[in-house]
Amino acid sequence: MPIVREALGLVAYHAGNWSEALSELRAVRRMTRSDEHIAIIADAERALGRPERALDLAKETDTAKLNKATQVELAIVAAGARRDLGQLDAAVVSLQGDDLKAEKRDPWSARLFYAYADNLEAAGRKDEAIRWFLNAAEADAEDETDAAERAADLSNENAGEKDTEATDE
């Protein structure tokens, strides 16, 4: 029975039906006593406008028992929840760690680098954001992100701002 509810929960999540996804994946969590889908559960809480609940889930979960991909995904969701709450610097800092090294090429590196860059941009740190979007693009062998385009757009914005500043002087 848990596998059916898991499938239903994942389909509901990918379809944007957050309430149903939460209901099904919470049931799976209770039945299996597994936190395999905790990042998805936390992300659904965010989607429903409850970033505090997403942060609570991240804090109460024993991340040492999670596989590395789920740990990283949960960190990305928690950073997003901090950003939802206006805690931009905390969102940036929360993603810093051993996995945030430009030379890394783990399966989750592109998503982590992208999330870091996105939060840097939100915090107004555009030059750093460009660098990390470029790192994400390099790590994104599967073309899962639009990191290269984001880096180009930010670079163009930065160039325009610098031209305006030079003209103003």
Side-chain angles (χ1 to χ4, degrees):
M1 191 59 124
I3 195 162
V4 172
R5 296 198 76 175
E6 177 184 31
L8 183 57
L10 294 174
V11 167
Y13 175 80
H14 289 288
N17 188 338
W18 315 121
S19 294
E20 186 168 344
L22 272 175
S23 176
E24 296 303 328
L25 293 174
R26 282 182 184 148
V28 171
R29 187 178 183 211
R30 282 190 306 274
M31 287 185 228
T32 63
R33 299 181 196 270
S34 168
D35 284 328
E36 178 183 357
H37 299 297
I38 195 68
I40 295 171
I41 292 169
D43 197 39
E45 291 285 4
R46 277 189 66 213
L48 288 170
R50 300 188 295 236
E52 298 92 349
R53 182 67 187 129
L55 285 173
D56 289 344
L57 284 166
K59 288 176 193 169
E60 71 188 29
T61 300
D62 183 359
T63 56
K65 293 181 180 179
L66 301 175
N67 66 47
K68 190 62 173 178
T70 303
Q71 288 176 14
V72 170
E73 198 62 34
L74 185 58
I76 291 170
V77 171
R82 291 198 181 288
R83 185 170 160 181
D84 294 345
L85 294 168
Q87 302 168 0
L88 302 179
D89 291 333
V92 169
V93 170
S94 70
L95 292 173
Q96 296 171 347
D98 291 338
D99 291 302
L100 193 69
K101 293 191 170 101
E103 67 276 1
K104 288 237 182 191
R105 292 298 178 268
D106 293 313
W108 50 83
S109 294
R111 285 198 30 81
L112 177 61
F113 297 171
Y114 188 95
Y116 187 63
D118 194 44
N119 282 296
L120 284 167
E121 180 186 4
R125 296 164 59 178
K126 288 186 179 181
D127 290 335
E128 291 172 272
I130 292 166
R131 188 168 57 248
W132 280 99
F133 277 127
L134 291 172
N135 290 336
E138 287 178 28
D140 191 1
E142 303 296 319
D143 279 338
E144 294 176 308
T145 71
D146 65 347
E149 292 85 6
R150 293 281 304 271
D153 290 346
L154 266 179
S155 293
N156 291 337
E157 273 181 36
N158 259 5
E161 288 172 10
K162 289 178 183 171
D163 288 345
T164 302
E165 288 172 11
T167 306
D168 290 343
E169 293 174 2

